[in-house]
PDB file of all heavy atoms in Angstrom:
ATOM      1  N   ASN A  21      -5.882  -3.511 -15.721  1.00  0.00           N
ATOM      2  CA  ASN A  21      -6.719  -3.091 -14.594  1.00  0.00           C
ATOM      3  C   ASN A  21      -6.582  -1.592 -14.347  1.00  0.00           C
ATOM      4  O   ASN A  21      -5.582  -0.968 -14.722  1.00  0.00           O
ATOM      5  CB  ASN A  21      -6.315  -3.861 -13.335  1.00  0.00           C
ATOM      6  CG  ASN A  21      -6.676  -5.333 -13.434  1.00  0.00           C
ATOM      7  OD1 ASN A  21      -7.821  -5.727 -13.282  1.00  0.00           O
ATOM      8  ND2 ASN A  21      -5.669  -6.171 -13.714  1.00  0.00           N
ATOM      9  N   THR A  22      -7.578  -1.016 -13.707  1.00  0.00           N
ATOM     10  CA  THR A  22      -7.620   0.427 -13.442  1.00  0.00           C
ATOM     11  C   THR A  22      -6.428   0.843 -12.584  1.00  0.00           C
ATOM     12  O   THR A  22      -6.136   0.202 -11.571  1.00  0.00           O
ATOM     13  CB  THR A  22      -8.919   0.801 -12.704  1.00  0.00           C
ATOM     14  OG1 THR A  22     -10.037   0.384 -13.492  1.00  0.00           O
ATOM     15  CG2 THR A  22      -9.005   2.303 -12.450  1.00  0.00           C
ATOM     16  N   PRO A  23      -5.719   1.912 -12.975  1.00  0.00           N
ATOM     17  CA  PRO A  23      -4.642   2.420 -12.112  1.00  0.00           C
ATOM     18  C   PRO A  23      -5.166   2.702 -10.705  1.00  0.00           C
ATOM     19  O   PRO A  23      -6.274   3.232 -10.540  1.00  0.00           O
ATOM     20  CB  PRO A  23      -4.204   3.702 -12.814  1.00  0.00           C
ATOM     21  CG  PRO A  23      -4.557   3.486 -14.256  1.00  0.00           C
ATOM     22  CD  PRO A  23      -5.826   2.678 -14.237  1.00  0.00           C
ATOM     23  N   TRP A  24      -4.379   2.350  -9.718  1.00  0.00           N
ATOM     24  CA  TRP A  24      -4.840   2.457  -8.334  1.00  0.00           C
ATOM     25  C   TRP A  24      -5.169   3.894  -7.945  1.00  0.00           C
ATOM     26  O   TRP A  24      -6.048   4.125  -7.109  1.00  0.00           O
ATOM     27  CB  TRP A  24      -3.786   1.885  -7.387  1.00  0.00           C
ATOM     28  CG  TRP A  24      -3.588   0.407  -7.527  1.00  0.00           C
ATOM     29  CD1 TRP A  24      -4.253  -0.432  -8.384  1.00  0.00           C
ATOM     30  CD2 TRP A  24      -2.668  -0.413  -6.812  1.00  0.00           C
ATOM     31  NE1 TRP A  24      -3.801  -1.727  -8.234  1.00  0.00           N
ATOM     32  CE2 TRP A  24      -2.835  -1.747  -7.270  1.00  0.00           C
ATOM     33  CE3 TRP A  24      -1.721  -0.148  -5.830  1.00  0.00           C
ATOM     34  CZ2 TRP A  24      -2.078  -2.806  -6.773  1.00  0.00           C
ATOM     35  CZ3 TRP A  24      -0.961  -1.198  -5.328  1.00  0.00           C
ATOM     36  CH2 TRP A  24      -1.144  -2.516  -5.799  1.00  0.00           C
ATOM     37  N   SER A  25      -4.489   4.854  -8.543  1.00  0.00           N
ATOM     38  CA  SER A  25      -4.740   6.253  -8.190  1.00  0.00           C
ATOM     39  C   SER A  25      -6.116   6.732  -8.632  1.00  0.00           C
ATOM     40  O   SER A  25      -6.601   7.753  -8.150  1.00  0.00           O
ATOM     41  CB  SER A  25      -3.665   7.151  -8.816  1.00  0.00           C
ATOM     42  OG  SER A  25      -3.682   7.031 -10.232  1.00  0.00           O
ATOM     43  N   ARG A  26      -6.767   6.001  -9.537  1.00  0.00           N
ATOM     44  CA  ARG A  26      -8.095   6.391 -10.019  1.00  0.00           C
ATOM     45  C   ARG A  26      -9.221   5.715  -9.244  1.00  0.00           C
ATOM     46  O   ARG A  26     -10.401   5.930  -9.532  1.00  0.00           O
ATOM     47  CB  ARG A  26      -8.227   6.057 -11.506  1.00  0.00           C
ATOM     48  CG  ARG A  26      -7.243   6.813 -12.397  1.00  0.00           C
ATOM     49  CD  ARG A  26      -7.455   6.463 -13.857  1.00  0.00           C
ATOM     50  NE  ARG A  26      -6.390   6.998 -14.695  1.00  0.00           N
ATOM     51  CZ  ARG A  26      -6.258   6.729 -15.987  1.00  0.00           C
ATOM     52  NH1 ARG A  26      -7.128   5.916 -16.595  1.00  0.00           N
ATOM     53  NH2 ARG A  26      -5.250   7.241 -16.685  1.00  0.00           N
ATOM     54  N   LEU A  27      -8.865   4.897  -8.286  1.00  0.00           N
ATOM     55  CA  LEU A  27      -9.867   4.195  -7.483  1.00  0.00           C
ATOM     56  C   LEU A  27     -10.217   5.013  -6.246  1.00  0.00           C
ATOM     57  O   LEU A  27      -9.395   5.769  -5.731  1.00  0.00           O
ATOM     58  CB  LEU A  27      -9.322   2.828  -7.069  1.00  0.00           C
ATOM     59  CG  LEU A  27      -8.980   1.863  -8.211  1.00  0.00           C
ATOM     60  CD1 LEU A  27      -8.270   0.625  -7.674  1.00  0.00           C
ATOM     61  CD2 LEU A  27     -10.240   1.467  -8.981  1.00  0.00           C
ATOM     62  N   PRO A  28     -11.456   4.882  -5.765  1.00  0.00           N
ATOM     63  CA  PRO A  28     -11.852   5.654  -4.579  1.00  0.00           C
ATOM     64  C   PRO A  28     -11.085   5.272  -3.318  1.00  0.00           C
ATOM     65  O   PRO A  28     -10.884   6.097  -2.426  1.00  0.00           O
ATOM     66  CB  PRO A  28     -13.345   5.343  -4.425  1.00  0.00           C
ATOM     67  CG  PRO A  28     -13.569   4.069  -5.193  1.00  0.00           C
ATOM     68  CD  PRO A  28     -12.582   4.096  -6.317  1.00  0.00           C
ATOM     69  N   LYS A  29     -10.638   4.035  -3.237  1.00  0.00           N
ATOM     70  CA  LYS A  29      -9.924   3.578  -2.043  1.00  0.00           C
ATOM     71  C   LYS A  29      -8.983   2.450  -2.428  1.00  0.00           C
ATOM     72  O   LYS A  29      -9.351   1.553  -3.187  1.00  0.00           O
ATOM     73  CB  LYS A  29     -10.920   3.084  -0.987  1.00  0.00           C
ATOM     74  CG  LYS A  29     -10.300   2.497   0.264  1.00  0.00           C
ATOM     75  CD  LYS A  29      -9.674   3.549   1.169  1.00  0.00           C
ATOM     76  CE  LYS A  29     -10.703   4.390   1.865  1.00  0.00           C
ATOM     77  NZ  LYS A  29     -10.078   5.311   2.857  1.00  0.00           N
ATOM     78  N   VAL A  30      -7.753   2.512  -1.914  1.00  0.00           N
ATOM     79  CA  VAL A  30      -6.791   1.429  -2.090  1.00  0.00           C
ATOM     80  C   VAL A  30      -6.238   1.070  -0.714  1.00  0.00           C
ATOM     81  O   VAL A  30      -5.858   1.947   0.067  1.00  0.00           O
ATOM     82  CB  VAL A  30      -5.627   1.831  -3.025  1.00  0.00           C
ATOM     83  CG1 VAL A  30      -4.602   0.707  -3.118  1.00  0.00           C
ATOM     84  CG2 VAL A  30      -6.151   2.180  -4.413  1.00  0.00           C
ATOM     85  N   LYS A  31      -6.186  -0.232  -0.417  1.00  0.00           N
ATOM     86  CA  LYS A  31      -5.702  -0.705   0.875  1.00  0.00           C
ATOM     87  C   LYS A  31      -4.564  -1.708   0.656  1.00  0.00           C
ATOM     88  O   LYS A  31      -4.535  -2.402  -0.366  1.00  0.00           O
ATOM     89  CB  LYS A  31      -6.838  -1.377   1.666  1.00  0.00           C
ATOM     90  CG  LYS A  31      -8.044  -0.483   1.889  1.00  0.00           C
ATOM     91  CD  LYS A  31      -9.205  -1.270   2.503  1.00  0.00           C
ATOM     92  CE  LYS A  31     -10.463  -0.423   2.587  1.00  0.00           C
ATOM     93  NZ  LYS A  31     -11.623  -1.215   3.059  1.00  0.00           N
ATOM     94  N   PHE A  32      -3.690  -1.775   1.642  1.00  0.00           N
ATOM     95  CA  PHE A  32      -2.566  -2.706   1.580  1.00  0.00           C
ATOM     96  C   PHE A  32      -2.425  -3.392   2.925  1.00  0.00           C
ATOM     97  O   PHE A  32      -2.576  -2.752   3.976  1.00  0.00           O
ATOM     98  CB  PHE A  32      -1.268  -1.948   1.248  1.00  0.00           C
ATOM     99  CG  PHE A  32      -0.409  -2.615   0.225  1.00  0.00           C
ATOM    100  CD1 PHE A  32      -0.691  -2.509  -1.125  1.00  0.00           C
ATOM    101  CD2 PHE A  32       0.710  -3.344   0.605  1.00  0.00           C
ATOM    102  CE1 PHE A  32       0.120  -3.125  -2.075  1.00  0.00           C
ATOM    103  CE2 PHE A  32       1.521  -3.958  -0.328  1.00  0.00           C
ATOM    104  CZ  PHE A  32       1.225  -3.852  -1.679  1.00  0.00           C
ATOM    105  N   LEU A  33      -2.125  -4.689   2.890  1.00  0.00           N
ATOM    106  CA  LEU A  33      -1.951  -5.449   4.124  1.00  0.00           C
ATOM    107  C   LEU A  33      -0.505  -5.327   4.597  1.00  0.00           C
ATOM    108  O   LEU A  33       0.427  -5.515   3.821  1.00  0.00           O
ATOM    109  CB  LEU A  33      -2.312  -6.920   3.899  1.00  0.00           C
ATOM    110  CG  LEU A  33      -3.715  -7.183   3.349  1.00  0.00           C
ATOM    111  CD1 LEU A  33      -3.973  -8.685   3.265  1.00  0.00           C
ATOM    112  CD2 LEU A  33      -4.783  -6.516   4.206  1.00  0.00           C
ATOM    113  N   CYS A  34      -0.361  -5.020   5.879  1.00  0.00           N
ATOM    114  CA  CYS A  34       0.954  -4.760   6.454  1.00  0.00           C
ATOM    115  C   CYS A  34       1.182  -5.652   7.668  1.00  0.00           C
ATOM    116  O   CYS A  34       0.770  -5.309   8.788  1.00  0.00           O
ATOM    117  CB  CYS A  34       1.067  -3.296   6.864  1.00  0.00           C
ATOM    118  SG  CYS A  34       0.900  -2.145   5.484  1.00  0.00           S
ATOM    119  N   PRO A  35       1.808  -6.826   7.484  1.00  0.00           N
ATOM    120  CA  PRO A  35       2.140  -7.665   8.639  1.00  0.00           C
ATOM    121  C   PRO A  35       3.014  -6.889   9.621  1.00  0.00           C
ATOM    122  O   PRO A  35       3.981  -6.240   9.226  1.00  0.00           O
ATOM    123  CB  PRO A  35       2.901  -8.841   8.017  1.00  0.00           C
ATOM    124  CG  PRO A  35       2.403  -8.899   6.597  1.00  0.00           C
ATOM    125  CD  PRO A  35       2.182  -7.473   6.213  1.00  0.00           C
ATOM    126  N   ALA A  36       2.639  -6.950  10.892  1.00  0.00           N
ATOM    127  CA  ALA A  36       3.356  -6.176  11.910  1.00  0.00           C
ATOM    128  C   ALA A  36       3.499  -6.994  13.183  1.00  0.00           C
ATOM    129  O   ALA A  36       2.585  -7.742  13.537  1.00  0.00           O
ATOM    130  CB  ALA A  36       2.622  -4.858  12.182  1.00  0.00           C
ATOM    131  N   PRO A  37       4.658  -6.839  13.878  1.00  0.00           N
ATOM    132  CA  PRO A  37       5.742  -5.913  13.582  1.00  0.00           C
ATOM    133  C   PRO A  37       6.370  -6.176  12.209  1.00  0.00           C
ATOM    134  O   PRO A  37       6.515  -7.319  11.794  1.00  0.00           O
ATOM    135  CB  PRO A  37       6.748  -6.173  14.704  1.00  0.00           C
ATOM    136  CG  PRO A  37       5.973  -6.812  15.799  1.00  0.00           C
ATOM    137  CD  PRO A  37       4.926  -7.618  15.114  1.00  0.00           C
ATOM    138  N   GLY A  38       6.726  -5.080  11.527  1.00  0.00           N
ATOM    139  CA  GLY A  38       7.273  -5.198  10.185  1.00  0.00           C
ATOM    140  C   GLY A  38       8.283  -4.106   9.902  1.00  0.00           C
ATOM    141  O   GLY A  38       8.758  -3.416  10.810  1.00  0.00           O
ATOM    142  N   TYR A  39       8.575  -3.925   8.617  1.00  0.00           N
ATOM    143  CA  TYR A  39       9.654  -3.039   8.167  1.00  0.00           C
ATOM    144  C   TYR A  39       9.112  -1.633   7.985  1.00  0.00           C
ATOM    145  O   TYR A  39       8.218  -1.399   7.169  1.00  0.00           O
ATOM    146  CB  TYR A  39      10.239  -3.583   6.864  1.00  0.00           C
ATOM    147  CG  TYR A  39      11.389  -2.812   6.283  1.00  0.00           C
ATOM    148  CD1 TYR A  39      12.272  -2.070   7.067  1.00  0.00           C
ATOM    149  CD2 TYR A  39      11.629  -2.842   4.910  1.00  0.00           C
ATOM    150  CE1 TYR A  39      13.331  -1.387   6.520  1.00  0.00           C
ATOM    151  CE2 TYR A  39      12.698  -2.172   4.346  1.00  0.00           C
ATOM    152  CZ  TYR A  39      13.539  -1.439   5.151  1.00  0.00           C
ATOM    153  OH  TYR A  39      14.587  -0.758   4.591  1.00  0.00           O
ATOM    154  N   ASP A  40       9.686  -0.664   8.702  1.00  0.00           N
ATOM    155  CA  ASP A  40       9.162   0.697   8.690  1.00  0.00           C
ATOM    156  C   ASP A  40       9.211   1.348   7.313  1.00  0.00           C
ATOM    157  O   ASP A  40       8.331   2.140   6.963  1.00  0.00           O
ATOM    158  CB  ASP A  40       9.885   1.570   9.723  1.00  0.00           C
ATOM    159  CG  ASP A  40      11.406   1.556   9.586  1.00  0.00           C
ATOM    160  OD1 ASP A  40      11.944   0.586   9.038  1.00  0.00           O
ATOM    161  OD2 ASP A  40      12.043   2.519  10.050  1.00  0.00           O
ATOM    162  N   ARG A  41      10.210   1.011   6.507  1.00  0.00           N
ATOM    163  CA  ARG A  41      10.302   1.648   5.188  1.00  0.00           C
ATOM    164  C   ARG A  41       9.208   1.144   4.242  1.00  0.00           C
ATOM    165  O   ARG A  41       8.759   1.875   3.363  1.00  0.00           O
ATOM    166  CB  ARG A  41      11.692   1.442   4.597  1.00  0.00           C
ATOM    167  CG  ARG A  41      12.779   2.209   5.345  1.00  0.00           C
ATOM    168  CD  ARG A  41      14.087   2.220   4.572  1.00  0.00           C
ATOM    169  NE  ARG A  41      15.152   2.870   5.309  1.00  0.00           N
ATOM    170  CZ  ARG A  41      15.414   4.167   5.287  1.00  0.00           C
ATOM    171  NH1 ARG A  41      14.636   4.968   4.578  1.00  0.00           N
ATOM    172  NH2 ARG A  41      16.424   4.676   5.962  1.00  0.00           N
ATOM    173  N   HIS A  42       8.784  -0.089   4.391  1.00  0.00           N
ATOM    174  CA  HIS A  42       7.619  -0.560   3.629  1.00  0.00           C
ATOM    175  C   HIS A  42       6.409   0.304   3.939  1.00  0.00           C
ATOM    176  O   HIS A  42       5.672   0.737   3.047  1.00  0.00           O
ATOM    177  CB  HIS A  42       7.293  -2.012   3.995  1.00  0.00           C
ATOM    178  CG  HIS A  42       8.262  -3.005   3.450  1.00  0.00           C
ATOM    179  ND1 HIS A  42       8.302  -4.309   3.903  1.00  0.00           N
ATOM    180  CD2 HIS A  42       9.217  -2.915   2.494  1.00  0.00           C
ATOM    181  CE1 HIS A  42       9.230  -4.968   3.239  1.00  0.00           C
ATOM    182  NE2 HIS A  42       9.807  -4.157   2.392  1.00  0.00           N
ATOM    183  N   PHE A  43       6.205   0.536   5.220  1.00  0.00           N
ATOM    184  CA  PHE A  43       5.040   1.307   5.638  1.00  0.00           C
ATOM    185  C   PHE A  43       5.142   2.757   5.162  1.00  0.00           C
ATOM    186  O   PHE A  43       4.140   3.376   4.792  1.00  0.00           O
ATOM    187  CB  PHE A  43       4.889   1.257   7.159  1.00  0.00           C
ATOM    188  CG  PHE A  43       4.824  -0.147   7.725  1.00  0.00           C
ATOM    189  CD1 PHE A  43       5.258  -0.415   9.013  1.00  0.00           C
ATOM    190  CD2 PHE A  43       4.338  -1.207   6.964  1.00  0.00           C
ATOM    191  CE1 PHE A  43       5.200  -1.700   9.536  1.00  0.00           C
ATOM    192  CE2 PHE A  43       4.281  -2.497   7.466  1.00  0.00           C
ATOM    193  CZ  PHE A  43       4.715  -2.743   8.768  1.00  0.00           C
ATOM    194  N   ALA A  44       6.364   3.301   5.148  1.00  0.00           N
ATOM    195  CA  ALA A  44       6.559   4.681   4.698  1.00  0.00           C
ATOM    196  C   ALA A  44       6.226   4.817   3.210  1.00  0.00           C
ATOM    197  O   ALA A  44       5.611   5.810   2.791  1.00  0.00           O
ATOM    198  CB  ALA A  44       8.002   5.121   4.966  1.00  0.00           C
ATOM    199  N   VAL A  45       6.617   3.829   2.397  1.00  0.00           N
ATOM    200  CA  VAL A  45       6.295   3.854   0.971  1.00  0.00           C
ATOM    201  C   VAL A  45       4.782   3.837   0.773  1.00  0.00           C
ATOM    202  O   VAL A  45       4.221   4.621  -0.004  1.00  0.00           O
ATOM    203  CB  VAL A  45       6.942   2.661   0.241  1.00  0.00           C
ATOM    204  CG1 VAL A  45       6.398   2.526  -1.178  1.00  0.00           C
ATOM    205  CG2 VAL A  45       8.464   2.810   0.205  1.00  0.00           C
ATOM    206  N   THR A  46       4.112   2.953   1.489  1.00  0.00           N
ATOM    207  CA  THR A  46       2.658   2.823   1.359  1.00  0.00           C
ATOM    208  C   THR A  46       1.960   4.119   1.749  1.00  0.00           C
ATOM    209  O   THR A  46       1.043   4.593   1.052  1.00  0.00           O
ATOM    210  CB  THR A  46       2.152   1.668   2.256  1.00  0.00           C
ATOM    211  OG1 THR A  46       3.034   0.556   2.139  1.00  0.00           O
ATOM    212  CG2 THR A  46       0.763   1.229   1.840  1.00  0.00           C
TER     213      THR A  46
END
């Protein structure tokens, strides 16, 4: 599949309240 950096938009689902370091990586 196409590397995510070459796509016009990439989204990630973040259940919240959640872990701040997960969100920082994203």
Side-chain angles (χ1 to χ4, degrees):
N21 291 283
T22 303
W24 293 359
S25 60
R26 297 182 189 173
L27 299 172
K29 176 73 72 174
V30 177
K31 303 172 186 175
F32 224 80
L33 304 184
C34 298
Y39 182 28
D40 53 336
R41 291 192 184 272
H42 287 166
F43 305 152
V45 169
T46 317

